[in-house]
Amino acid sequence: MHKKKPNTAIVTGASSGVGLHTTVALVTRGWHVVMACRNLAKARSALEALGVPLEKVTVLEIDLSDLQSVRGFAKAFDSTGLTLHSLICNAAVYQPQSKEAKRSAQGYEISVATNHLGHFLLSRLLLGALQKSTQPQPRLITLGSVTVKAEEFIEQLPFSARANLGDLAGLQAGFLAPVAMIDGHDFNAGKAYKDSKLCSMLMNREFHRRYHASTGIVFNTLYPGCAADSALLRDTSPLYQTLFTWYQKNIAQAYVSQQLAGERVAQLVDDPAFSISGMHWSWGKRQQPGQAAFAQSLSSNARDLARSEQLWALSEKLVGLA
Ligand SMILES: NC(=O)c1ccc[n+]([C@@H]2O[C@H](COP(=O)([O-])OP(=O)(O)OC[C@H]3O[C@@H](n4cnc5c(N)ncnc54)[C@H](OP(=O)(O)O)[C@@H]3O)[C@@H](O)[C@H]2O)c1
């Protein structure tokens, strides 16, 4: 009997944490996963340690902070001959201890370059490939962050630097040194991460507005809960990591295991219940498996249409698409 080919998803940053567990959850659901990683050996051994056979995946190199590498990845994916059903923009760096901006190969601040610009370029380059897949409905899923929800308690604390793109003066100025922040203000590493996630969420909405009706691609973001013990906090002190995890488990009650977070991403990729486009998904009582997902409204800075259009045009310039 002729065996049906598995559906294919690309997961960026699949070598650890949420991306790794999304890979496992998708493979368990019968998908073939292209693990888009900067460290191929790490990706392979992380997967093997979880007992997943390597033939269920293709491991391809990408450095999302480097636009040339992103273009190289898109070409390499094309030459695999695989049909793309889903792209999951998951990779991220968070370096809140940095006092000075680190720079990407193109000279941009590293967290905005990796989390936003790299994924923006990748999504644009793979849009045609996604569009070609009609069964199942193609999906482009982006990992958001709760930190761009101004209503969240932790964002109300006076020491919290909130995501705020200002009038995009830093991007307009070309985003090269000495400019290090999107709003053109002084460098703040924690805020740079939040800004980058806000950009990704704004761009996902903008993709939906521009392309959903004409392509049928479903564009969604999610916050699966706080996988506080993932490697995302690797730049912070062990004491901070312990306290943060304790806070998320016991006070915020937002803690989720990396496995549960990965399962939730896989749901957005694979379940018919998540076929509406242009949504941001979150989960009630986040810690508990089996909790229902709900579409969450975003704060005004993540719904600003004029800002979105301006950000799209400036991002196109910075990644060389305009
Ligand atoms: N952890 C949370 O509580 C939480 C909550 C909400 C949203 N998120 C989001 O979930 C996503 C995954 O985070 P995580 O918690 O799983 O963190 P993680 O374990 O640190 O995973 C991040 C992944 O991104 C990869 N990566 C970093 N820079 C890259 C680059 N330049 N090119 C290619 N890959 C790169 C890392 O690769 P290496 O293995 O080579 O370092 C790693 O595979 C992020 O988008 C994050 O913002 C996390």
Side-chain angles (χ1 to χ4, degrees), residues 12-20 36-39 42 62-66 89-93 110 114-115 119 143-146 193 197 222-234 244 258:
T12 69
S15 53
S16 73
V18 180
L20 175 64
C37 299
R38 59 181 171 178
N39 184 336
K42 180 180 175 185
I62 190 168
D63 179 348
L64 278 150
S65 73
D66 181 350
C89 296
N90 165 78
V93 282
I110 200 78
T114 309
N115 308 350
H119 279 127
L143 268 289
S145 171
V146 78
Y193 169 81
K197 298 305 283 185
L222 79 154
Y223 174 63
C226 184
D229 49 10
S230 83
L232 192 66
L233 294 181
R234 64 187 97 173
F244 183 70
Q258 295 164 51

mmCIF file of all heavy atoms in Angstrom, residues 12-20 36-39 42 62-66 89-93 110 114-115 119 143-146 193 197 222-234 244 258, ligand 1:
data_model
loop_
_atom_site.group_PDB
_atom_site.id
_atom_site.type_symbol
_atom_site.label_atom_id
_atom_site.label_comp_id
_atom_site.label_asym_id
_atom_site.label_seq_id
_atom_site.Cartn_x
_atom_site.Cartn_y
_atom_site.Cartn_z
ATOM 1 N N THR A 12 12.707 26.600 14.196
ATOM 2 C CA THR A 12 13.985 27.281 14.445
ATOM 3 C C THR A 12 14.348 27.137 15.929
ATOM 4 O O THR A 12 13.461 27.098 16.788
ATOM 5 C CB THR A 12 13.948 28.779 14.058
ATOM 6 O OG1 THR A 12 13.094 29.482 14.964
ATOM 7 C CG2 THR A 12 13.481 28.985 12.632
ATOM 8 N N GLY A 13 15.643 27.044 16.191
ATOM 9 C CA GLY A 13 16.092 26.915 17.590
ATOM 10 C C GLY A 13 15.601 25.605 18.189
ATOM 11 O O GLY A 13 15.110 25.582 19.326
ATOM 12 N N ALA A 14 15.732 24.514 17.435
ATOM 13 C CA ALA A 14 15.205 23.217 17.892
ATOM 14 C C ALA A 14 16.233 22.434 18.710
ATOM 15 O O ALA A 14 15.987 21.290 19.068
ATOM 16 C CB ALA A 14 14.758 22.398 16.685
ATOM 17 N N SER A 15 17.379 23.049 19.018
ATOM 18 C CA SER A 15 18.419 22.305 19.727
ATOM 19 C C SER A 15 18.217 22.283 21.232
ATOM 20 O O SER A 15 18.938 21.581 21.945
ATOM 21 C CB SER A 15 19.794 22.900 19.404
ATOM 22 O OG SER A 15 19.785 24.285 19.659
ATOM 23 N N SER A 16 17.268 23.076 21.752
ATOM 24 C CA SER A 16 17.024 23.025 23.194
ATOM 25 C C SER A 16 15.628 23.541 23.512
ATOM 26 O O SER A 16 14.914 24.052 22.640
ATOM 27 C CB SER A 16 18.074 23.846 23.971
ATOM 28 O OG SER A 16 17.847 25.228 23.810
ATOM 29 N N GLY A 17 15.242 23.383 24.766
ATOM 30 C CA GLY A 17 14.049 24.018 25.315
ATOM 31 C C GLY A 17 12.761 23.760 24.544
ATOM 32 O O GLY A 17 12.446 22.632 24.141
ATOM 33 N N VAL A 18 12.010 24.832 24.341
ATOM 34 C CA VAL A 18 10.676 24.729 23.731
ATOM 35 C C VAL A 18 10.779 24.174 22.306
ATOM 36 O O VAL A 18 9.971 23.345 21.888
ATOM 37 C CB VAL A 18 9.986 26.119 23.725
ATOM 38 C CG1 VAL A 18 8.603 26.020 23.104
ATOM 39 C CG2 VAL A 18 9.904 26.689 25.144
ATOM 40 N N GLY A 19 11.796 24.612 21.561
ATOM 41 C CA GLY A 19 11.945 24.157 20.173
ATOM 42 C C GLY A 19 12.234 22.663 20.097
ATOM 43 O O GLY A 19 11.681 21.952 19.250
ATOM 44 N N LEU A 20 13.076 22.181 20.989
ATOM 45 C CA LEU A 20 13.402 20.752 21.024
ATOM 46 C C LEU A 20 12.146 19.939 21.345
ATOM 47 O O LEU A 20 11.847 18.937 20.700
ATOM 48 C CB LEU A 20 14.499 20.508 22.072
ATOM 49 C CG LEU A 20 14.874 19.060 22.336
ATOM 50 C CD1 LEU A 20 15.478 18.399 21.104
ATOM 51 C CD2 LEU A 20 15.879 18.975 23.511
ATOM 52 N N ALA A 36 16.068 23.685 12.486
ATOM 53 C CA ALA A 36 16.884 24.785 11.971
ATOM 54 C C ALA A 36 17.717 25.335 13.127
ATOM 55 O O ALA A 36 17.211 26.044 13.982
ATOM 56 C CB ALA A 36 15.975 25.867 11.395
ATOM 57 N N CYS A 37 19.008 24.967 13.140
ATOM 58 C CA CYS A 37 19.831 25.207 14.332
ATOM 59 C C CYS A 37 21.200 25.765 13.959
ATOM 60 O O CYS A 37 21.695 25.510 12.859
ATOM 61 C CB CYS A 37 20.049 23.903 15.078
ATOM 62 S SG CYS A 37 18.512 23.180 15.640
ATOM 63 N N ARG A 38 21.815 26.438 14.928
ATOM 64 C CA ARG A 38 23.168 26.927 14.652
ATOM 65 C C ARG A 38 24.220 25.906 15.081
ATOM 66 O O ARG A 38 25.373 26.026 14.688
ATOM 67 C CB ARG A 38 23.409 28.271 15.343
ATOM 68 C CG ARG A 38 23.251 28.232 16.836
ATOM 69 C CD ARG A 38 23.477 29.587 17.466
ATOM 70 N NE ARG A 38 23.109 29.580 18.872
ATOM 71 C CZ ARG A 38 23.224 30.599 19.680
ATOM 72 N NH1 ARG A 38 23.683 31.742 19.212
ATOM 73 N NH2 ARG A 38 22.868 30.522 20.940
ATOM 74 N N ASN A 39 23.833 24.940 15.916
ATOM 75 C CA ASN A 39 24.769 23.920 16.378
ATOM 76 C C ASN A 39 24.169 22.544 16.064
ATOM 77 O O ASN A 39 23.347 22.022 16.820
ATOM 78 C CB ASN A 39 25.024 24.101 17.880
ATOM 79 C CG ASN A 39 26.063 23.134 18.415
ATOM 80 O OD1 ASN A 39 26.291 22.068 17.844
ATOM 81 N ND2 ASN A 39 26.686 23.496 19.518
ATOM 82 N N LYS A 42 24.806 19.567 18.526
ATOM 83 C CA LYS A 42 24.008 19.718 19.753
ATOM 84 C C LYS A 42 22.557 19.297 19.492
ATOM 85 O O LYS A 42 21.940 18.607 20.312
ATOM 86 C CB LYS A 42 24.064 21.187 20.212
ATOM 87 C CG LYS A 42 23.270 21.456 21.476
ATOM 88 C CD LYS A 42 23.357 22.920 21.879
ATOM 89 C CE LYS A 42 22.464 23.203 23.067
ATOM 90 N NZ LYS A 42 22.424 24.619 23.425
ATOM 91 N N ILE A 62 21.429 27.088 10.501
ATOM 92 C CA ILE A 62 21.024 28.482 10.320
ATOM 93 C C ILE A 62 21.570 29.282 11.495
ATOM 94 O O ILE A 62 21.563 28.807 12.630
ATOM 95 C CB ILE A 62 19.481 28.618 10.269
ATOM 96 C CG1 ILE A 62 19.080 30.043 9.831
ATOM 97 C CG2 ILE A 62 18.817 28.306 11.600
ATOM 98 C CD1 ILE A 62 17.606 30.194 9.477
ATOM 99 N N ASP A 63 22.097 30.459 11.217
ATOM 100 C CA ASP A 63 22.377 31.420 12.278
ATOM 101 C C ASP A 63 21.431 32.585 12.019
ATOM 102 O O ASP A 63 21.619 33.357 11.075
ATOM 103 C CB ASP A 63 23.845 31.879 12.220
ATOM 104 C CG ASP A 63 24.151 32.912 13.299
ATOM 105 O OD1 ASP A 63 23.193 33.422 13.925
ATOM 106 O OD2 ASP A 63 25.336 33.213 13.513
ATOM 107 N N LEU A 64 20.399 32.656 12.849
ATOM 108 C CA LEU A 64 19.354 33.670 12.591
ATOM 109 C C LEU A 64 19.840 35.095 12.766
ATOM 110 O O LEU A 64 19.185 36.040 12.315
ATOM 111 C CB LEU A 64 18.146 33.408 13.492
ATOM 112 C CG LEU A 64 17.226 32.336 12.919
ATOM 113 C CD1 LEU A 64 16.511 31.579 14.000
ATOM 114 C CD2 LEU A 64 16.235 32.938 11.924
ATOM 115 N N SER A 65 20.991 35.248 13.424
ATOM 116 C CA SER A 65 21.497 36.615 13.599
ATOM 117 C C SER A 65 22.213 37.103 12.337
ATOM 118 O O SER A 65 22.565 38.277 12.230
ATOM 119 C CB SER A 65 22.455 36.672 14.799
ATOM 120 O OG SER A 65 23.680 36.043 14.470
ATOM 121 N N ASP A 66 22.456 36.178 11.399
ATOM 122 C CA ASP A 66 23.235 36.519 10.205
ATOM 123 C C ASP A 66 22.348 36.364 8.954
ATOM 124 O O ASP A 66 21.953 35.254 8.589
ATOM 125 C CB ASP A 66 24.452 35.570 10.130
ATOM 126 C CG ASP A 66 25.347 35.867 8.938
ATOM 127 O OD1 ASP A 66 24.956 36.668 8.062
ATOM 128 O OD2 ASP A 66 26.439 35.273 8.883
ATOM 129 N N CYS A 89 8.629 29.895 14.213
ATOM 130 C CA CYS A 89 9.691 30.859 14.545
ATOM 131 C C CYS A 89 9.865 30.861 16.055
ATOM 132 O O CYS A 89 9.105 31.509 16.787
ATOM 133 C CB CYS A 89 9.307 32.249 14.033
ATOM 134 S SG CYS A 89 9.191 32.323 12.239
ATOM 135 N N ASN A 90 10.842 30.100 16.513
ATOM 136 C CA ASN A 90 11.001 29.834 17.949
ATOM 137 C C ASN A 90 12.325 30.337 18.523
ATOM 138 O O ASN A 90 12.383 30.764 19.674
ATOM 139 C CB ASN A 90 10.876 28.318 18.182
ATOM 140 C CG ASN A 90 11.381 27.905 19.548
ATOM 141 O OD1 ASN A 90 10.697 28.089 20.549
ATOM 142 N ND2 ASN A 90 12.603 27.371 19.605
ATOM 143 N N ALA A 91 13.407 30.295 17.754
ATOM 144 C CA ALA A 91 14.733 30.614 18.315
ATOM 145 C C ALA A 91 14.747 32.023 18.910
ATOM 146 O O ALA A 91 14.061 32.918 18.425
ATOM 147 C CB ALA A 91 15.792 30.521 17.215
ATOM 148 N N ALA A 92 15.534 32.186 19.949
ATOM 149 C CA ALA A 92 15.684 33.533 20.539
ATOM 150 C C ALA A 92 16.920 33.581 21.412
ATOM 151 O O ALA A 92 17.362 32.558 21.943
ATOM 152 C CB ALA A 92 14.454 33.892 21.372
ATOM 153 N N VAL A 93 17.451 34.781 21.547
ATOM 154 C CA VAL A 93 18.473 35.021 22.557
ATOM 155 C C VAL A 93 17.954 36.081 23.525
ATOM 156 O O VAL A 93 17.233 37.000 23.132
ATOM 157 C CB VAL A 93 19.825 35.509 21.979
ATOM 158 C CG1 VAL A 93 20.610 34.370 21.388
ATOM 159 C CG2 VAL A 93 19.654 36.626 20.984
ATOM 160 N N ILE A 110 22.175 42.377 18.734
ATOM 161 C CA ILE A 110 22.039 40.928 18.498
ATOM 162 C C ILE A 110 20.648 40.356 18.784
ATOM 163 O O ILE A 110 20.179 39.471 18.061
ATOM 164 C CB ILE A 110 23.124 40.145 19.298
ATOM 165 C CG1 ILE A 110 23.331 38.744 18.732
ATOM 166 C CG2 ILE A 110 22.803 40.074 20.780
ATOM 167 C CD1 ILE A 110 24.148 38.696 17.501
ATOM 168 N N THR A 114 18.497 38.646 15.862
ATOM 169 C CA THR A 114 18.170 37.212 15.908
ATOM 170 C C THR A 114 16.665 36.980 15.990
ATOM 171 O O THR A 114 16.082 36.247 15.184
ATOM 172 C CB THR A 114 18.820 36.562 17.159
ATOM 173 O OG1 THR A 114 20.206 36.902 17.186
ATOM 174 C CG2 THR A 114 18.647 35.059 17.163
ATOM 175 N N ASN A 115 16.059 37.611 16.997
ATOM 176 C CA ASN A 115 14.667 37.263 17.312
ATOM 177 C C ASN A 115 13.693 37.855 16.295
ATOM 178 O O ASN A 115 12.706 37.220 15.945
ATOM 179 C CB ASN A 115 14.300 37.760 18.722
ATOM 180 C CG ASN A 115 15.302 37.314 19.781
ATOM 181 O OD1 ASN A 115 16.173 36.486 19.511
ATOM 182 N ND2 ASN A 115 15.216 37.869 20.978
ATOM 183 N N HIS A 119 14.059 36.195 11.748
ATOM 184 C CA HIS A 119 12.789 35.496 11.499
ATOM 185 C C HIS A 119 11.936 36.220 10.454
ATOM 186 O O HIS A 119 11.214 35.575 9.683
ATOM 187 C CB HIS A 119 12.006 35.350 12.812
ATOM 188 C CG HIS A 119 12.486 34.209 13.651
ATOM 189 N ND1 HIS A 119 12.845 34.339 14.970
ATOM 190 C CD2 HIS A 119 12.673 32.890 13.352
ATOM 191 C CE1 HIS A 119 13.226 33.162 15.456
ATOM 192 N NE2 HIS A 119 13.137 32.274 14.488
ATOM 193 N N LEU A 143 6.632 32.308 18.397
ATOM 194 C CA LEU A 143 6.647 32.329 19.858
ATOM 195 C C LEU A 143 6.658 33.770 20.327
ATOM 196 O O LEU A 143 7.593 34.519 20.021
ATOM 197 C CB LEU A 143 7.888 31.600 20.389
ATOM 198 C CG LEU A 143 7.771 30.114 20.693
ATOM 199 C CD1 LEU A 143 6.910 29.875 21.930
ATOM 200 C CD2 LEU A 143 7.251 29.293 19.535
ATOM 201 N N GLY A 144 5.616 34.144 21.040
ATOM 202 C CA GLY A 144 5.540 35.508 21.564
ATOM 203 C C GLY A 144 6.075 35.550 22.975
ATOM 204 O O GLY A 144 6.752 34.620 23.430
ATOM 205 N N SER A 145 5.747 36.605 23.667
ATOM 206 C CA SER A 145 6.185 36.723 25.048
ATOM 207 C C SER A 145 5.110 37.443 25.832
ATOM 208 O O SER A 145 4.466 38.349 25.322
ATOM 209 C CB SER A 145 7.493 37.509 25.119
ATOM 210 O OG SER A 145 7.781 37.786 26.458
ATOM 211 N N VAL A 146 4.969 37.014 27.077
ATOM 212 C CA VAL A 146 3.986 37.664 27.944
ATOM 213 C C VAL A 146 4.454 39.086 28.282
ATOM 214 O O VAL A 146 3.674 39.937 28.661
ATOM 215 C CB VAL A 146 3.783 36.813 29.222
ATOM 216 C CG1 VAL A 146 4.914 37.002 30.204
ATOM 217 C CG2 VAL A 146 2.445 37.081 29.854
ATOM 218 N N TYR A 193 15.334 42.689 24.304
ATOM 219 C CA TYR A 193 14.662 41.395 24.097
ATOM 220 C C TYR A 193 13.147 41.599 23.974
ATOM 221 O O TYR A 193 12.512 41.086 23.053
ATOM 222 C CB TYR A 193 14.979 40.455 25.271
ATOM 223 C CG TYR A 193 14.124 39.202 25.292
ATOM 224 C CD1 TYR A 193 14.436 38.107 24.482
ATOM 225 C CD2 TYR A 193 12.993 39.110 26.117
ATOM 226 C CE1 TYR A 193 13.649 36.957 24.497
ATOM 227 C CE2 TYR A 193 12.194 37.969 26.135
ATOM 228 C CZ TYR A 193 12.533 36.896 25.326
ATOM 229 O OH TYR A 193 11.741 35.759 25.329
ATOM 230 N N LYS A 197 10.609 40.823 20.761
ATOM 231 C CA LYS A 197 9.443 39.943 20.780
ATOM 232 C C LYS A 197 8.187 40.713 20.358
ATOM 233 O O LYS A 197 7.328 40.175 19.670
ATOM 234 C CB LYS A 197 9.240 39.333 22.183
ATOM 235 C CG LYS A 197 10.362 38.466 22.686
ATOM 236 C CD LYS A 197 10.747 37.330 21.768
ATOM 237 C CE LYS A 197 9.818 36.154 21.799
ATOM 238 N NZ LYS A 197 10.329 35.018 20.953
ATOM 239 N N LEU A 222 1.838 32.691 20.037
ATOM 240 C CA LEU A 222 1.383 32.088 21.291
ATOM 241 C C LEU A 222 2.334 32.398 22.431
ATOM 242 O O LEU A 222 3.517 32.700 22.207
ATOM 243 C CB LEU A 222 1.249 30.569 21.172
ATOM 244 C CG LEU A 222 2.517 29.702 21.260
ATOM 245 C CD1 LEU A 222 2.169 28.313 21.754
ATOM 246 C CD2 LEU A 222 3.218 29.633 19.926
ATOM 247 N N TYR A 223 1.773 32.327 23.623
ATOM 248 C CA TYR A 223 2.565 32.309 24.855
ATOM 249 C C TYR A 223 2.164 31.029 25.574
ATOM 250 O O TYR A 223 1.078 30.938 26.144
ATOM 251 C CB TYR A 223 2.264 33.537 25.719
ATOM 252 C CG TYR A 223 2.970 33.467 27.053
ATOM 253 C CD1 TYR A 223 4.353 33.464 27.131
ATOM 254 C CD2 TYR A 223 2.248 33.371 28.243
ATOM 255 C CE1 TYR A 223 5.011 33.374 28.346
ATOM 256 C CE2 TYR A 223 2.894 33.293 29.468
ATOM 257 C CZ TYR A 223 4.273 33.290 29.514
ATOM 258 O OH TYR A 223 4.931 33.195 30.710
ATOM 259 N N PRO A 224 3.045 29.992 25.524
ATOM 260 C CA PRO A 224 2.637 28.695 26.053
ATOM 261 C C PRO A 224 2.673 28.616 27.576
ATOM 262 O O PRO A 224 2.236 27.616 28.150
ATOM 263 C CB PRO A 224 3.680 27.741 25.451
ATOM 264 C CG PRO A 224 4.893 28.592 25.243
ATOM 265 C CD PRO A 224 4.400 29.985 24.946
ATOM 266 N N GLY A 225 3.187 29.658 28.220
ATOM 267 C CA GLY A 225 3.455 29.627 29.649
ATOM 268 C C GLY A 225 4.938 29.871 29.834
ATOM 269 O O GLY A 225 5.684 29.972 28.856
ATOM 270 N N CYS A 226 5.363 29.962 31.094
ATOM 271 C CA CYS A 226 6.767 30.308 31.341
ATOM 272 C C CYS A 226 7.591 29.044 31.620
ATOM 273 O O CYS A 226 7.491 28.467 32.700
ATOM 274 C CB CYS A 226 6.836 31.266 32.530
ATOM 275 S SG CYS A 226 8.511 31.817 32.834
ATOM 276 N N ALA A 227 8.393 28.648 30.634
ATOM 277 C CA ALA A 227 9.304 27.510 30.825
ATOM 278 C C ALA A 227 10.558 28.072 31.504
ATOM 279 O O ALA A 227 11.628 28.170 30.894
ATOM 280 C CB ALA A 227 9.618 26.863 29.488
ATOM 281 N N ALA A 228 10.396 28.452 32.758
ATOM 282 C CA ALA A 228 11.412 29.245 33.460
ATOM 283 C C ALA A 228 12.753 28.525 33.582
ATOM 284 O O ALA A 228 13.786 29.172 33.775
ATOM 285 C CB ALA A 228 10.890 29.623 34.842
ATOM 286 N N ASP A 229 12.744 27.187 33.502
ATOM 287 C CA ASP A 229 14.002 26.461 33.658
ATOM 288 C C ASP A 229 14.646 26.094 32.324
ATOM 289 O O ASP A 229 15.531 25.241 32.272
ATOM 290 C CB ASP A 229 13.810 25.214 34.535
ATOM 291 C CG ASP A 229 12.620 24.375 34.084
ATOM 292 O OD1 ASP A 229 12.065 24.657 32.991
ATOM 293 O OD2 ASP A 229 12.235 23.445 34.822
ATOM 294 N N SER A 230 14.223 26.736 31.239
ATOM 295 C CA SER A 230 14.896 26.485 29.951
ATOM 296 C C SER A 230 16.219 27.247 29.931
ATOM 297 O O SER A 230 16.510 28.045 30.827
ATOM 298 C CB SER A 230 14.019 26.953 28.781
ATOM 299 O OG SER A 230 14.184 28.341 28.575
ATOM 300 N N ALA A 231 16.988 27.031 28.853
ATOM 301 C CA ALA A 231 18.302 27.682 28.749
ATOM 302 C C ALA A 231 18.196 29.166 28.366
ATOM 303 O O ALA A 231 19.219 29.847 28.261
ATOM 304 C CB ALA A 231 19.156 26.941 27.729
ATOM 305 N N LEU A 232 16.973 29.658 28.178
ATOM 306 C CA LEU A 232 16.819 31.067 27.772
ATOM 307 C C LEU A 232 17.458 32.017 28.792
ATOM 308 O O LEU A 232 17.983 33.063 28.436
ATOM 309 C CB LEU A 232 15.328 31.399 27.607
ATOM 310 C CG LEU A 232 15.004 32.715 26.914
ATOM 311 C CD1 LEU A 232 15.459 32.677 25.457
ATOM 312 C CD2 LEU A 232 13.524 33.037 26.990
ATOM 313 N N LEU A 233 17.428 31.607 30.070
ATOM 314 C CA LEU A 233 17.961 32.473 31.132
ATOM 315 C C LEU A 233 19.448 32.223 31.395
ATOM 316 O O LEU A 233 19.974 32.611 32.424
ATOM 317 C CB LEU A 233 17.172 32.255 32.428
ATOM 318 C CG LEU A 233 15.702 32.671 32.428
ATOM 319 C CD1 LEU A 233 15.090 32.396 33.785
ATOM 320 C CD2 LEU A 233 15.523 34.133 32.074
ATOM 321 N N ARG A 234 20.136 31.556 30.458
ATOM 322 C CA ARG A 234 21.528 31.122 30.696
ATOM 323 C C ARG A 234 22.449 32.287 31.033
ATOM 324 O O ARG A 234 23.499 32.095 31.630
ATOM 325 C CB ARG A 234 22.071 30.341 29.506
ATOM 326 C CG ARG A 234 22.190 31.137 28.220
ATOM 327 C CD ARG A 234 22.575 30.269 27.041
ATOM 328 N NE ARG A 234 21.402 29.868 26.274
ATOM 329 C CZ ARG A 234 21.438 29.223 25.120
ATOM 330 N NH1 ARG A 234 22.579 28.877 24.599
ATOM 331 N NH2 ARG A 234 20.351 28.906 24.484
ATOM 332 N N PHE A 244 13.522 33.182 40.035
ATOM 333 C CA PHE A 244 12.559 33.417 38.957
ATOM 334 C C PHE A 244 11.655 32.185 38.781
ATOM 335 O O PHE A 244 10.436 32.302 38.653
ATOM 336 C CB PHE A 244 13.308 33.729 37.650
ATOM 337 C CG PHE A 244 12.413 34.055 36.493
ATOM 338 C CD1 PHE A 244 11.685 35.247 36.466
ATOM 339 C CD2 PHE A 244 12.270 33.173 35.431
ATOM 340 C CE1 PHE A 244 10.848 35.541 35.401
ATOM 341 C CE2 PHE A 244 11.435 33.465 34.362
ATOM 342 C CZ PHE A 244 10.727 34.658 34.346
ATOM 343 N N GLN A 258 9.124 22.455 29.890
ATOM 344 C CA GLN A 258 9.486 22.663 28.482
ATOM 345 C C GLN A 258 8.690 21.702 27.603
ATOM 346 O O GLN A 258 8.305 22.038 26.481
ATOM 347 C CB GLN A 258 10.986 22.450 28.314
ATOM 348 C CG GLN A 258 11.801 23.503 29.070
ATOM 349 C CD GLN A 258 13.257 23.121 29.243
ATOM 350 O OE1 GLN A 258 13.911 22.762 28.277
ATOM 351 N NE2 GLN A 258 13.748 23.171 30.473
HETATM 352 N N1 LIG B 1 11.325 29.998 28.386
HETATM 353 C C1 LIG B 1 10.218 30.710 28.541
HETATM 354 O O1 LIG B 1 9.696 30.881 29.636
HETATM 355 C C2 LIG B 1 9.532 31.316 27.375
HETATM 356 C C3 LIG B 1 8.298 31.928 27.565
HETATM 357 C C4 LIG B 1 7.659 32.486 26.467
HETATM 358 C C5 LIG B 1 8.240 32.470 25.249
HETATM 359 N N2 LIG B 1 9.452 31.892 25.106
HETATM 360 C C6 LIG B 1 10.032 31.877 23.789
HETATM 361 O O2 LIG B 1 10.240 30.528 23.445
HETATM 362 C C7 LIG B 1 11.294 30.452 22.521
HETATM 363 C C8 LIG B 1 12.279 29.364 22.923
HETATM 364 O O3 LIG B 1 12.872 29.718 24.146
HETATM 365 P P1 LIG B 1 13.431 28.625 25.153
HETATM 366 O O4 LIG B 1 12.899 28.966 26.469
HETATM 367 O O5 LIG B 1 13.230 27.286 24.618
HETATM 368 O O6 LIG B 1 14.997 29.017 25.159
HETATM 369 P P2 LIG B 1 16.304 28.164 24.775
HETATM 370 O O7 LIG B 1 16.251 26.824 25.387
HETATM 371 O O8 LIG B 1 17.438 29.072 25.078
HETATM 372 O O9 LIG B 1 16.166 27.972 23.192
HETATM 373 C C9 LIG B 1 16.524 28.958 22.300
HETATM 374 C C10 LIG B 1 16.926 28.303 21.010
HETATM 375 O O10 LIG B 1 17.262 29.338 20.070
HETATM 376 C C11 LIG B 1 18.497 28.998 19.489
HETATM 377 N N3 LIG B 1 19.214 30.162 18.983
HETATM 378 C C12 LIG B 1 19.661 31.232 19.664
HETATM 379 N N4 LIG B 1 20.313 32.081 18.845
HETATM 380 C C13 LIG B 1 20.262 31.527 17.630
HETATM 381 C C14 LIG B 1 20.776 31.918 16.367
HETATM 382 N N5 LIG B 1 21.486 33.036 16.198
HETATM 383 N N6 LIG B 1 20.562 31.116 15.306
HETATM 384 C C15 LIG B 1 19.874 29.954 15.453
HETATM 385 N N7 LIG B 1 19.367 29.536 16.624
HETATM 386 C C16 LIG B 1 19.575 30.311 17.702
HETATM 387 C C17 LIG B 1 19.260 28.284 20.591
HETATM 388 O O11 LIG B 1 20.346 27.583 20.016
HETATM 389 P P3 LIG B 1 21.600 27.025 20.889
HETATM 390 O O12 LIG B 1 21.108 25.725 21.447
HETATM 391 O O13 LIG B 1 22.675 26.866 19.859
HETATM 392 O O14 LIG B 1 21.896 28.033 21.914
HETATM 393 C C18 LIG B 1 18.163 27.415 21.145
HETATM 394 O O15 LIG B 1 17.981 26.278 20.346
HETATM 395 C C19 LIG B 1 11.890 31.869 22.430
HETATM 396 O O16 LIG B 1 11.334 32.523 21.303
HETATM 397 C C20 LIG B 1 11.387 32.538 23.684
HETATM 398 O O17 LIG B 1 11.284 33.933 23.535
HETATM 399 C C21 LIG B 1 10.120 31.304 26.129
#
